[in-house]
Amino acid sequence: MEYNPRDIEQKWRIWWQENQVYKVLNDSSKPKFYLLNMFPYPSGAGLHVGHPLGYIASDILARYKRLRGYNVLNPMGYDSFGLPAEQYAIQTGQHPAVTTDQNIATFRRQLDNIGFSFDWSREVRTSDPSFYKWTQWIFMRLFEHYYDKTADKALPIKQLVQHFEQKGNAGIQAACDEDTPSFSAADWKALSEKEQQELLLKYRLTFPEESFVNWCPGLGTVLSNDEVKDGVSERGGFPVERKRMKQWAMRITAYADRLLAGLDTVDWPESIKEQQRNWIGRSQGASVRFAVDGHPGAEIEVFTTRLDTIFGATFMVLAPEHDLVAQLTTDAQRAEVEGYVRWAASRSDIERMAETKKVTGAFTGAYAVNPFNDQKIPVYIADYVLAGYGTGAVMAVPSGDQRDWNFAQHFKLPIIPILDAQQNLDEAADPTKEGRYVNSGFINGLSYQEAMPRLIEWLEEKGLGQAKVQYKMRNAVFSRQRYWGEPVPVYWKDGVPCLIEENELPLLLPQVDKYLPTETGEPPLGRAEGWKYRGQYEYELSTMPGWAGSSWYFYRYMDPQNEQAFASPEAIRYWQQVDFYIGGSEHATGHLLYSRFWNHFMHDLGLVPEREYARKLVNQGMIQGRSSFVFRAREHFYEEYVWIKVLQPFFTEFGPIQVPVSKAEEEYKYDFAFESNDLVIEVVSYKQTDKIERIRSAAASDGKRLLVLFNEELADTINEPETTAEKIRRALNSRETFFMSNAQPKAERLFVSHNLTSKYSPESLTKLHVDISLVDNDVLDVARAAQLNQFAGATFKLDADGKFICSSEVEKMSKSKFNVVNPDDMVEQYGADCYRMYEMFLGPIEVAKPWDTKGITGVSGFLRKFWGLFFDEKSGAFNVADDEPTRDELRALHTAIKKVSDDIERFSMNTCVSHFMIATNELRSLKCNKRAVLEPLVVLIAPFAPHVAEELWHRLGHSDSVCAAQWPALNEAHLVTDTVVYPVQINGKLRGNVEVPAGTPAPEVEQMVLAQEFVQRNLGGGAVKKIIVVPGRIVNIVA
RNA sequence: GCGGGAAUGGCGGAAUGGUAGACGCGAUGGUCUCAAACACCAUUGGCUGCAAGGUCGUGCGAGUUCGAGUCUCGCUUCCCGCACCA
């Protein structure tokens, strides 16, 4: 019976659905296993062959764990708020909810094609009010809490208020804005209600603030730092500018230390952890306050990680935006400084990044006093100091810091060595910590380890500074001036943000007439008519960013329909945390950091049991496309063609000459001439009538006879250079003075087979993507290509075999590169089981690898062979015998059980597929059709090829699903063989094999090996120094 | 510049310190076919040899080891991330 995936796959998908085979319950005596895919944004483009990679791998793991006796949660949903749907809405006026639903339907249809074991009754969508109700709810909790550093957790803001009423903010260690003043209980009580609320905003974990943000006019919204790459938006590549705006922010900085420490507790890829560490950017150092000479009130505070170098500080540098710049600048320097400040402000981020090597700056005229040695050092401003990091000021130590060194060189400032180990300070800074200090006051002669504690002690004693930890990470902007996102459950009363009541959730996204900002520049929600809290207060008009819903969605899957809570405590207690999370590494700092932050917060509130929600994380690598390219001839090509293919081969006896073209020539030169003939040749497009006329008259006045060859007529006969040669020969032998074809040429453009292009210069050809569906094995289907617009009126220069060869490259899969492979087509042609297995077979999940549709035939053939094991070759009838299996058959089976089990556990799916192929080939050559072998094999393959497994399982007489079966047990006894073949090495080189009975003791193996003829021959009579016998593995003789 | 990762046939890739190249693609030859496609069989790292075999071979150079693709040190190249972060 023929293996026909189309029939059986369809049948079982319906059966699974009807029998609710993938329904997961929350109460089970079985151990739980929670497996999660990063949910997709449902884009309009649908899935390409690379997208389901992670889903397939995790589906295999899910099915495997289930067969191993676990209750497995393997859900899927959609991150369905987002910019593309809104951009589309702006263009078409369609509500984003409508297009989002359509896109989800496409995704679902594609996913259903592949046979996943998702429990679709648990599907979530972040844009669904029953979901975003809880996103808003968590937001409200954040608003109502502050971070208490003493308790090291979030606490209710009410407790903070109580403290304020009793003691002011003395004795409170809380995460708050930098500019929070100190106040007493009396101060607090003296404040108006509004002032109190404004003060509390400095503590709340989410709060509105005026700040510089990444404003993207092209998208009409602000972007978070991780959505900006190289000064343009990650999505769409629009320019981004710094703009001061009022924004909601999340006080993620309060959790910086915990987010950093938590990384050590999770099994995540090192690169992701490293990226997060980098993003958090913790640096330990000290802050030091410098007095300014002649400005008793002013102090410049700096942050440094190298307090030990402070005696080498020979100047200070402030960011141009630093608050003290105007105050410190002397009148003599004012013009220069103001000029520099203006210039720096005018520079975009892109310019700044592009010119990091150029030293710029200006002297303020002021001098700061180094508190350690009372030295007066000049204060400069320069834009290599960033206003946004630390205090926006640095103490410059040119001997230890390359940027300071560059600056000192440029402005001729002193460079003082501070460690005796510093070298070549006239060439570059030396940041070493080795050696002993010199020129460094009371730390002279000490090492770095000795000096640091003394310096800190001294600093804190004098009250001039203190040890400090600085983070690169900023609080996260949480507003988008957009429509298609979660409304913020806040209204504004007297300029103060207030939460709506909990029982008023969800705050629904209102209808608007257009998805554009209002005329006054308000976000789109400003268009909603009559949208007021209790009819009188303005709602917050910005919406939440994309990462809001994805920061907690993994809990919703546990209990997706709950209306009383984001998930019931029972459900959360049962499922706990995600055991295995899989998704792309591009979310390293966006989703994966913010979601950890929310989870820590929810953990503080006792809402969730674990600090880290995902125990293990795996990044699947991208599947790249294989693009094909064709080469289109440019002007210059035709000239080269005439030279290489016509003049050189056919006309050497006339002495053909390539006339060199001078670049700035006004007068005209011809392309070719002959030494022994007065004929000249010009190669030109027939469309260039002006040029042809000019040449014609030039030729006439030169007394030359002219042959004009049109590019297009050359293209018409491109595969027959003799035709052109014939034209030239006729012209050479004629007496006429002008030759030009009157016939209208047909070809509009010419494409050249890749294997012919090496003869031509790179400028003569343009490389263009061609749709890979027209290409087989790098050979272009010329007949089909000619139908396309891209090749309308085209001629193809074929190679000697009459083929048109394309070049190829591995690139990201994308529509614009014409290299997209659609999983639907793979499933249609080879079946879902085959597609699933091939996707795994390509290589390790974690690494990027190119897709090659050709290779799928290998897996297709395997599945057919596997299927064939169960059927009689001649009659085609299902034919499985109940006979006792042989030892060889059992060994093949148990080898497969062992290898596949081990490899799934270590997430090595590609080798699993190989093991199935090996087992199948072996059983086929053994002609095995024994139930005792084949039935366990069906269970073994079920996670990979669920459809074919289900079909065979039922044919084997079962009426329940193969999903409910038990993973076959490994019996090591079946792996044992009667004899062992020892490879024999002499001095580490393989010389032969010796077969001995299994279990032969090492000394006897030695004797048997030494008795071998090939061993004696290779030893050549020399003495044996030592024999190493590794039992069951190898023998090595040291001679 | 800093950090992380990688480098194995024509290609994707295998290999608890123990026979390098499993498995598959591609290629070559053959069977089937009027033919093509499919399918099936065989060969397939390089050099050398009629053959048995020999010899070289996991980016480069050292080292540890009876034995190194694997471990250590030093380099080269590529990919990813971060980047005037004080």
Side-chain angles (χ1 to χ4, degrees):
Chain A
M1 167 131 182
E2 187 89 354
Y3 168 54
N4 189 343
R6 215 169 299 179
D7 295 346
I8 61 176
E9 291 184 356
Q10 181 71 15
K11 178 171 82 183
W12 292 113
R13 270 180 224 137
I14 294 167
W15 190 84
W16 289 331
Q17 205 179 347
E18 282 172 351
N19 290 276
Q20 300 209 5
V21 169
Y22 302 125
K23 179 101 183 141
V24 181
L25 299 177
N26 278 357
D27 52 341
S28 169
S29 54
K30 294 181 189 170
K32 68 97 189 183
F33 191 81
Y34 185 2
L35 196 150
L36 184 66
N37 290 282
M38 287 183 193
F39 62 170
Y41 173 79
S43 78
L47 296 172
H48 70 58
V49 105
H51 291 123
L53 178 74
Y55 305 160
I56 295 170
S58 59
D59 192 60
I60 290 166
L61 189 63
R63 289 171 180 273
Y64 167 76
K65 283 285 179 184
R66 183 170 171 187
L67 292 166
R68 280 283 200 184
Y70 287 86
N71 189 29
V72 178
L73 180 55
N74 178 31
M76 183 49 77
Y78 305 98
D79 191 10
S80 47
F81 273 134
L83 280 181
E86 181 155 356
Q87 292 296 81
Y88 191 73
I90 290 168
Q91 286 163 28
T92 64
Q94 273 201 77
H95 197 286
V98 174
T99 48
T100 300
D101 278 353
Q102 288 166 358
N103 292 349
I104 287 177
T106 306
F107 260 66
R108 178 63 190 277
R109 185 185 52 71
Q110 289 191 287
L111 291 174
D112 280 349
N113 248 341
I114 304 171
F116 291 117
S117 63
F118 298 130
D119 177 359
W120 283 107
S121 72
R122 290 177 185 256
E123 180 200 292
V124 302
R125 302 180 184 191
T126 54
S127 61
D128 193 310
S130 70
F131 183 96
Y132 71 68
K133 170 181 177 176
W134 298 106
T135 311
Q136 292 171 336
W137 183 85
I138 296 166
F139 175 90
M140 289 167 72
R141 299 292 81 80
L142 283 156
F143 187 79
E144 288 172 337
H145 285 79
Y146 76 103
Y147 195 84
D148 191 287
K149 292 181 183 171
T150 313
D152 205 14
K153 65 188 284 199
L155 291 176
I157 206 99
K158 276 186 196 146
Q159 286 184 26
L160 189 66
V161 172
Q162 276 172 16
H163 188 101
F164 288 170
E165 283 167 356
Q166 285 159 19
K167 297 175 187 154
N169 65 355
I172 270 279
Q173 290 287 318
C176 60
D177 290 358
E178 291 275 328
D179 60 356
T180 309
S182 297
F183 57 86
S184 65
D187 294 338
W188 171 257
K189 284 174 194 148
L191 295 175
S192 71
E193 164 76 25
K194 180 179 166 167
E195 286 165 335
Q196 288 184 343
Q197 286 303 319
E198 281 170 348
L199 192 49
L200 286 177
L201 291 177
K202 294 180 182 297
Y203 288 88
R204 293 182 190 275
L205 284 174
T206 182
F207 55 96
E209 68 168 356
E210 266 308 295
S211 64
F212 279 105
V213 293
N214 305 303
W215 172 251
C216 178
L219 293 171
T221 191
V222 302
L223 300 171
S224 59
N225 289 340
D226 58 283
E227 289 170 313
V228 181
K229 292 264 143 78
D230 301 326
V232 298
S233 65
E234 195 176 28
R235 246 181 227 278
F238 298 103
V240 172
E241 51 194 60
R242 307 284 296 165
K243 191 176 170 185
R244 208 172 164 83
M245 286 178 79
K246 191 160 213 163
Q247 296 293 320
W248 283 85
M250 289 273 162
R251 207 179 295 282
I252 187 173
T253 47
Y255 283 85
D257 258 331
R258 279 173 57 181
L259 291 171
L260 202 56
L263 290 173
D264 296 331
T265 69
V266 291
D267 181 7
W268 285 20
E270 202 45 49
S271 68
I272 295 277
K273 292 198 205 181
E274 202 50 41
Q275 280 182 59
Q276 293 205 353
R277 289 191 190 108
N278 227 315
W279 189 261
I280 295 167
R282 183 182 201 272
S283 44
Q284 191 147 15
S287 85
V288 186
R289 287 185 290 278
F290 284 65
V292 185
D293 192 37
H295 293 267
E299 261 183 349
I300 301 172
E301 188 177 353
V302 301
F303 174 73
T304 176
T305 53
R306 290 293 302 273
L307 184 59
D308 60 305
T309 65
I310 195 160
F311 289 97
T314 54
F315 55 98
M316 296 204 92
V317 187
L318 308 185
E321 301 94 329
H322 196 282
D323 289 339
L324 288 174
V325 172
Q327 189 190 333
L328 299 187
T329 303
T330 59
D331 289 339
Q333 295 299 113
R334 191 163 303 279
E336 189 191 341
V337 166
E338 283 176 358
Y340 185 78
V341 170
R342 249 194 322 277
W343 174 79
S346 72
R347 296 223 299 165
S348 69
D349 281 357
I350 302 174
E351 280 172 330
R352 279 183 68 151
M353 280 187 281
E355 296 173 16
T356 56
K357 293 217 170 61
K358 217 161 112 190
V359 177
T360 63
F363 178 44
T364 61
Y367 289 85
V369 182
N370 186 336
F372 280 77
N373 58 8
D374 294 327
Q375 287 271 326
K376 284 184 197 162
I377 54 177
V379 178
Y380 281 75
I381 61 170
D383 72 351
Y384 83 85
V385 175
L386 305 176
Y389 184 73
T391 59
V394 301
M395 61 174 213
V397 182
S399 66
D401 182 292
Q402 190 57 43
R403 293 154 306 169
D404 297 344
W405 188 92
N406 293 344
F407 197 85
Q409 284 287 325
H410 188 262
F411 288 96
K412 312 268 189 296
L413 293 159
I415 297 171
I416 303 174
I418 39 151
L419 279 157
D420 56 14
Q422 282 179 322
Q423 289 179 344
N424 304 329
L425 289 180
D426 45 343
E427 283 163 34
D430 185 349
T432 185
K433 292 177 184 172
E434 305 293 315
R436 303 274 158 184
Y437 290 95
V438 295
N439 301 323
S440 292
F442 65 84
I443 60 167
N444 274 336
L446 299 183
S447 70
Y448 176 80
Q449 280 74 17
E450 293 160 353
M452 277 308 278
R454 296 202 194 189
L455 290 161
I456 297 279
E457 199 185 323
W458 189 91
L459 195 66
E460 294 188 343
E461 224 166 70
K462 303 267 181 207
L464 290 165
Q466 59 280 315
K468 192 181 178 186
V469 172
Q470 184 78 42
Y471 297 96
K472 197 161 73 177
M473 181 168 67
R474 310 282 80 191
N475 283 329
V477 173
F478 198 70
S479 297
R480 297 292 180 268
Q481 287 62 43
R482 281 291 186 156
Y483 176 75
W484 192 231
E486 299 88 345
V488 177
V490 159
Y491 63 92
W492 290 83
K493 183 178 168 186
D494 192 19
V496 172
C498 307
L499 294 180
I500 66 172
E501 297 293 324
E502 201 171 311
N503 61 21
E504 290 164 332
L505 290 176
L507 173 59
L508 292 173
L509 200 52
Q511 292 296 322
V512 293
D513 58 343
K514 271 192 231 165
Y515 305 99
L516 289 171
T518 64
E519 282 67 23
T520 53
E522 297 284 350
L525 291 189
R527 294 177 173 274
E529 271 189 45
W531 196 54
K532 290 237 161 81
Y533 183 64
R534 301 204 172 152
Q536 52 173 329
Y537 300 112
E538 280 288 350
Y539 278 119
E540 168 62 43
L541 294 180
S542 64
T543 51
M544 298 189 196
W547 54 271
S550 61
S551 289
W552 72 278
Y553 76 111
F554 27 90
Y555 290 113
R556 192 62 180 168
Y557 285 131
M558 296 176 179
D559 192 9
Q561 271 90 44
N562 198 320
E563 292 180 13
Q564 313 308 316
F566 68 94
S568 73
E570 297 76 38
I572 295 169
R573 200 175 311 126
Y574 180 69
W575 292 109
Q576 293 276 319
Q577 70 181 141
V578 176
D579 294 288
F580 195 102
Y581 197 18
I582 180 162
S585 57
E586 65 272 22
H587 302 108
T589 46
H591 162 57
L592 287 172
L593 188 61
Y594 296 134
S595 57
R596 289 183 58 226
F597 156 49
W598 277 37
N599 196 72
H600 274 263
F601 169 71
M602 290 165 80
H603 177 259
D604 285 351
L605 270 55
L607 298 170
V608 300
E610 298 285 343
R611 282 194 165 198
E612 298 295 338
Y613 69 88
R615 193 197 308 274
K616 182 177 175 63
L617 174 73
V618 167
N619 289 130
Q620 88 267 26
M622 194 174 40
I623 291 196
Q624 296 145 315
R626 198 165 173 278
S627 307
S628 285
F629 297 91
V630 290
F631 294 85
R632 191 171 71 197
R634 299 166 69 167
E635 274 296 310
H636 196 54
F637 173 84
Y638 298 96
E639 260 175 62
E640 292 187 9
Y641 164 77
V642 169
W643 179 247
I644 296 168
K645 295 304 250 187
V646 184
L647 290 174
Q648 283 194 319
F650 293 107
F651 296 98
T652 40
E653 72 274 20
F654 291 91
I657 297 166
Q658 262 183 307
V659 181
V661 183
S662 74
K663 285 261 156 73
E665 113 249 54
E666 280 292 310
E667 88 225 63
Y668 189 74
K669 293 273 189 192
Y670 323 100
D671 289 331
F672 303 105
F674 290 91
E675 276 171 1
S676 61
N677 196 298
D678 59 354
L679 185 74
V680 292
I681 300 177
E682 180 61 24
V683 180
V684 66
S685 167
Y686 78 91
K687 289 175 185 155
Q688 291 179 281
T689 46
D690 289 0
K691 191 172 172 185
I692 295 167
E693 272 318 304
R694 264 187 290 129
I695 301 156
R696 193 174 178 173
S697 54
S701 65
D702 283 357
K704 293 281 186 187
R705 300 186 304 122
L706 175 68
L707 168 62
V708 173
L709 291 172
F710 295 139
N711 297 343
E712 293 81 1
E713 64 173 319
L714 292 170
D716 277 341
T717 58
I718 198 74
N719 294 316
E720 310 126 41
E722 319 79 58
T723 311
T724 306
E726 188 50 39
K727 280 182 195 159
I728 296 172
R729 184 160 292 120
R730 253 184 278 134
L732 281 169
N733 296 333
S734 159
R735 305 208 148 239
E736 285 176 51
T737 55
F738 183 65
F739 309 86
M740 188 169 85
S741 169
N742 332 317
Q744 172 84 2
K746 290 197 291 290
E748 307 241 341
R749 56 198 114 176
L750 171 68
F751 292 87
V752 182
S753 182
H754 175 55
N755 47 352
L756 305 177
T757 55
S758 58
K759 295 177 183 131
Y760 298 91
S761 65
E763 308 85 65
S764 68
L765 296 159
T766 308
K767 188 173 164 186
L768 297 165
H769 280 98
V770 61
D771 197 308
I772 51 162
S773 66
L774 298 170
V775 181
D776 181 29
N777 231 346
D778 286 343
V779 178
L780 181 73
D781 185 334
V782 173
R784 276 174 55 216
Q787 314 282 309
L788 263 72
N789 255 345
Q790 184 185 4
F791 297 103
T795 305
F796 297 89
K797 182 161 168 54
L798 309 174
D799 68 6
D801 298 337
K803 285 179 179 165
F804 188 92
I805 309 292
C806 301
S807 76
S808 72
E809 254 171 59
V810 171
E811 297 184 295
K812 195 174 164 175
M813 220 178 247
S814 91
K815 259 186 180 168
S816 63
K817 297 182 167 70
F818 297 104
N819 61 359
V820 174
V821 182
N822 189 325
D824 297 352
D825 298 339
M826 295 300 110
V827 171
E828 166 72 18
Q829 207 175 342
Y830 301 98
D833 287 336
C834 180
Y835 168 64
R836 289 167 61 108
M837 289 192 94
Y838 182 56
E839 190 107 341
M840 294 299 99
F841 187 63
L842 282 175
I845 307 293
E846 299 87 346
V847 303
K849 56 231 166 235
W851 176 268
D852 173 20
T853 299
K854 279 212 128 24
I856 200 171
T857 55
V859 176
S860 178
F862 151 73
L863 276 171
R864 217 168 298 133
K865 282 186 220 168
F866 179 79
W867 174 265
L869 292 174
F870 297 77
F871 294 87
D872 187 88
E873 212 170 301
K874 293 210 179 76
S875 70
F878 188 77
N879 180 26
V880 172
D882 286 325
D883 307 347
E884 277 297 309
T886 64
R887 287 186 61 195
D888 286 345
E889 290 167 347
L890 284 172
R891 190 166 50 248
L893 170 66
H894 284 267
T895 306
I897 294 173
K898 181 172 169 53
K899 299 221 163 187
V900 172
S901 305
D902 288 354
D903 286 357
I904 293 182
E905 292 285 353
R906 60 189 185 101
F907 215 53
S908 169
M909 305 307 184
N910 54 329
T911 47
C912 288
V913 179
S914 301
H915 300 318
F916 283 121
M917 290 173 169
I918 293 164
T920 300
N921 288 341
E922 207 159 318
L923 292 173
R924 219 162 97 97
S925 65
L926 293 169
K927 303 216 181 310
C928 172
N929 72 335
K930 317 275 172 63
R931 170 183 291 271
V933 173
L934 296 185
E935 194 167 279
L937 210 54
V938 166
V939 180
L940 215 57
I941 207 172
F944 296 83
H947 308 86
V948 74
E950 195 74 86
E951 171 73 22
L952 293 169
W953 184 249
H954 283 256
R955 282 184 186 255
L956 285 164
H958 299 274
S959 56
D960 57 347
S961 170
V962 70
C963 299
Q966 271 208 349
W967 191 251
L970 171 66
N971 184 346
E972 301 263 1
H974 292 309
L975 302 177
V976 178
T977 48
D978 290 338
T979 61
V980 179
V981 176
Y982 279 96
V984 178
Q985 296 180 336
I986 294 171
N987 291 330
K989 284 197 187 214
L990 184 73
R991 294 297 172 182
N993 293 296
V994 176
E995 189 170 2
V996 304
T1000 309
E1004 284 177 41
V1005 173
E1006 279 182 32
Q1007 292 313 310
M1008 294 168 86
V1009 165
L1010 287 173
Q1012 295 293 315
E1013 188 272 331
F1014 75 87
V1015 173
Q1016 290 306 321
R1017 177 161 39 88
N1018 277 291
L1019 285 172
V1024 173
K1025 286 189 190 138
K1026 195 176 172 187
I1027 300 184
I1028 294 115
V1029 178
V1030 184
R1033 301 235 62 140
I1034 202 164
V1035 177
N1036 192 9
I1037 301 169
V1038 187

